[in-house]
Amino acid sequence: MLYFSNTISEEKSSEGVERTSVAFKTLKSEMDEDRVGYYKLPIKSQDLLEDLQTLDISQFSQIVVIGIGGSSLGIKAIDSILESITPDAKEMIFFENSDPLTISENIAKIDKERACFFVISKSGSTIETTSIFKTLIGHFNLELDNAKNIFAITDKDSSLSKFASFHNIKEFNIPLNVGGRFSVLSAVGVAPLYVAGYDVKAILEGGDEFLESFFSGDENHLLQKANYLYTNAKQESINVVFSYADRLNNFTKWYVQLWGESLGKIDKNGNRVGLTPIGIIGSVDQHSFLQLIIEGPKDKNITFINIDNFNNDIKIPDISLYGIEKTDFINHTSFNTLINEQCSATMQSVMESGVSCDKITLDTISEKNIGAMIIYYELLTSLVGTMFQVNTYNQPGVELGKKILYKNLGDK
């Protein structure tokens, strides 16, 4: 279960009430008219699980994911979080970037006889993905025709789809009305995470429960937060997610892509709009970024995320060290308590310095909580995008960079 606390007061002005009402109705219309597909993924992807259960995956103990951005970040986030509570989870190896050192290091980890390969690209021709896939084919001399250890995840009829069909490779399709960064609960995340041994059904259930709660009118805090972010966008142009758990690091990276690529746009009036996303980790970044938050420009708002119960009882031992006895008061305290007290104290210091903040608490690490967190941030992104009056689901700035890259590399 997720718990929410914030310093954001309910919007009572007629303008604010109208804005949140319009945004809510817009999202409801996007869902009901099936113009935007991520709303229905928690239900539709249940059918995908039935398909996956027919596969013989018993020989695989390594899951190699070849994808970038929306084709990898969400999968990596879920793997990082749930690995600790899934003892039988299989190793996942991610090929994302064009960095030759990382590519070589990852290749060295792969046991060809134990590995299966998921090549993921919505467009089907992402240059980083196809370049790495070619490299793996060449290095491991992978047989393509009727391959049982290669899976393609892409749009129907894309170039990757045609490749998979030509070689009779198992293919999973991404709904055409689901953008890459909103696709983690589609085949993009469901297929590799299922093969890796995660309880994907529970993840989907958590997402569906939060969606139902939101559209039933039981998550009005989300509307208030979206309205606050929009209303104060010029003064507080930086949105910081401060996660108090190492395993949430990849989740914050997923949030950064979702937020930045969806909201950094030119609105219908020709204005450049958006909120700069920053993801940091506590308590580590109390010793770096926090100083800027407390005494730097008041151009930020902060969302703290913490885990109430890590289900780990490791404690600080009753040891007194000469010269640093002043820290003995912490002896016998669990690290679970320590990190959450650090989160609370940091949030209090931020509030006392006059910086806006709110907090999301996961009662524990669970599949349902992760599914709910994914939907929470997708809904929040859609709400703010609607208020900014931008197309939340395209990325023309990214496409421009791709065109220049292709031209510079000699594509005619």
Side-chain angles (χ1 to χ4, degrees):
M1 184 173 292
L2 307 184
Y3 299 94
F4 305 93
S5 58
N6 60 66
T7 59
I8 300 169
S9 59
E10 184 176 355
E11 176 62 77
K12 297 183 183 293
S13 70
S14 58
E15 183 181 1
V17 171
E18 175 67 14
R19 185 183 301 114
T20 56
S21 175
V22 169
F24 180 86
K25 290 176 182 177
T26 298
L27 267 61
K28 185 76 164 55
S29 174
E30 289 178 347
M31 178 179 67
D32 291 344
E33 297 174 11
D34 213 22
R35 288 184 283 119
V36 177
Y38 81 82
Y39 303 108
K40 297 183 179 179
L41 289 179
I43 296 298
K44 286 189 173 182
S45 290
Q46 298 285 349
D47 295 336
L48 177 58
L49 289 177
E50 295 180 11
D51 185 19
L52 286 162
Q53 289 167 5
T54 66
L55 298 178
D56 180 8
I57 57 174
S58 57
Q59 71 272 33
F60 304 132
S61 59
Q62 286 184 328
I63 315 302
V64 179
V65 176
I66 310 152
I68 193 170
S71 296
S72 67
L73 287 171
I75 313 167
K76 200 172 183 179
I78 294 173
D79 176 54
S80 297
I81 297 168
L82 296 182
E83 183 185 17
S84 65
I85 64 166
T86 314
D88 297 328
K90 300 172 184 177
E91 179 184 13
M92 300 195 81
I93 300 172
F94 293 87
F95 285 87
E96 301 171 280
N97 202 4
S98 307
D99 185 324
L101 297 179
T102 303
I103 291 171
S104 297
E105 288 169 359
N106 279 344
I107 285 175
K109 297 176 185 177
I110 295 174
D111 180 346
K112 176 185 173 182
E113 302 307 316
R114 299 188 301 118
C116 66
F117 302 83
F118 281 89
V119 55
I120 308 173
S121 170
K122 182 170 174 63
S123 69
S125 57
T126 308
I127 195 166
E128 296 92 343
T129 303
T130 54
S131 298
I132 293 170
F133 186 40
K134 290 177 184 178
T135 302
L136 295 176
I137 292 170
H139 182 88
F140 292 106
N141 193 26
L142 297 178
E143 296 182 9
L144 299 179
D145 290 338
N146 303 303
K148 301 302 180 185
N149 61 342
I150 299 174
F151 304 95
I153 303 178
T154 186
D155 277 356
K156 185 178 181 181
D157 297 327
S158 73
S159 52
L160 178 58
S161 174
K162 293 173 183 176
F163 161 86
S165 178
F166 179 79
H167 288 288
N168 195 29
I169 289 171
K170 178 67 175 178
E171 173 186 350
F172 301 96
N173 291 133
I174 306 166
L176 295 177
N177 60 356
V178 175
R181 57 189 175 277
F182 287 86
S183 68
V184 63
L185 298 184
S186 74
V188 167
V190 169
L193 289 166
Y194 173 86
V195 177
Y198 290 110
D199 186 355
V200 181
K201 187 173 187 293
I203 297 171
L204 296 173
E205 288 173 350
D208 184 52
E209 288 172 9
F210 194 86
L211 273 166
E212 285 193 8
S213 181
F214 173 76
F215 283 113
S216 296
D218 296 330
E219 306 291 348
N220 286 335
H221 60 90
L222 197 53
L223 292 167
Q224 298 304 324
K225 181 172 178 176
N227 185 63
Y228 179 88
L229 293 171
Y230 168 78
T231 304
N232 295 277
K234 290 185 178 179
Q235 302 95 329
E236 299 176 9
S237 60
I238 299 172
N239 182 244
V240 180
V241 168
F242 205 161
S243 298
Y244 273 73
D246 289 339
R247 292 185 179 275
L248 289 172
N249 189 33
N250 283 320
F251 182 86
T252 64
K253 292 180 180 179
W254 171 80
Y255 138 81
V256 166
Q257 188 216 5
L258 178 72
W259 200 248
E261 200 167 67
S262 297
L263 301 179
K265 302 284 172 65
I266 297 174
D267 68 14
K268 67 175 188 177
N269 297 316
N271 301 311
R272 291 174 176 262
V273 300
L275 294 160
T276 300
I278 293 177
I280 55 180
I281 295 295
S283 62
V284 174
D285 288 314
Q286 288 177 201
H287 301 269
S288 56
F289 200 84
L290 181 59
Q291 175 63 37
L292 180 63
I293 293 172
I294 297 293
E295 294 190 348
K298 287 189 177 179
D299 54 359
K300 308 166 194 68
N301 52 70
I302 320 297
T303 295
F304 291 90
I305 303 177
N306 76 307
I307 299 168
D308 183 50
N309 185 2
F310 285 81
N311 288 307
N312 185 306
D313 60 1
I314 185 171
K315 293 183 178 180
I316 300 154
D318 188 18
I319 296 175
S320 184
L321 301 174
Y322 178 79
I324 49 177
E325 295 91 347
K326 66 180 181 179
T327 64
D328 288 355
F329 71 90
I330 200 70
N331 292 358
H332 297 295
T333 303
S334 71
F335 280 95
N336 193 137
T337 297
L338 175 58
I339 196 167
N340 281 319
E341 288 298 327
Q342 289 170 318
C343 179
S344 295
T346 303
M347 184 173 179
Q348 183 177 339
S349 72
V350 168
M351 291 170 60
E352 290 181 2
S353 68
V355 176
S356 302
C357 61
D358 66 314
K359 185 179 182 183
I360 304 171
T361 297
L362 289 72
D363 60 350
T364 190
I365 297 172
S366 72
E367 292 85 357
K368 281 194 171 184
N369 279 346
I370 300 313
M373 282 282 289
I374 288 168
I375 291 297
Y376 171 92
Y377 268 101
E378 289 179 340
L379 289 171
L380 181 62
T381 303
S382 290
L383 287 169
V384 177
T386 296
M387 293 177 182
F388 274 136
Q389 298 185 350
V390 297
N391 183 342
T392 309
Y393 310 105
N394 67 358
Q395 53 278 334
V398 177
E399 297 305 320
L400 175 61
K402 288 180 182 179
K403 291 177 182 178
I404 294 172
L405 173 65
Y406 279 43
K407 181 180 178 181
N408 289 348
L409 288 175
D411 179 49
K412 304 301 181 183

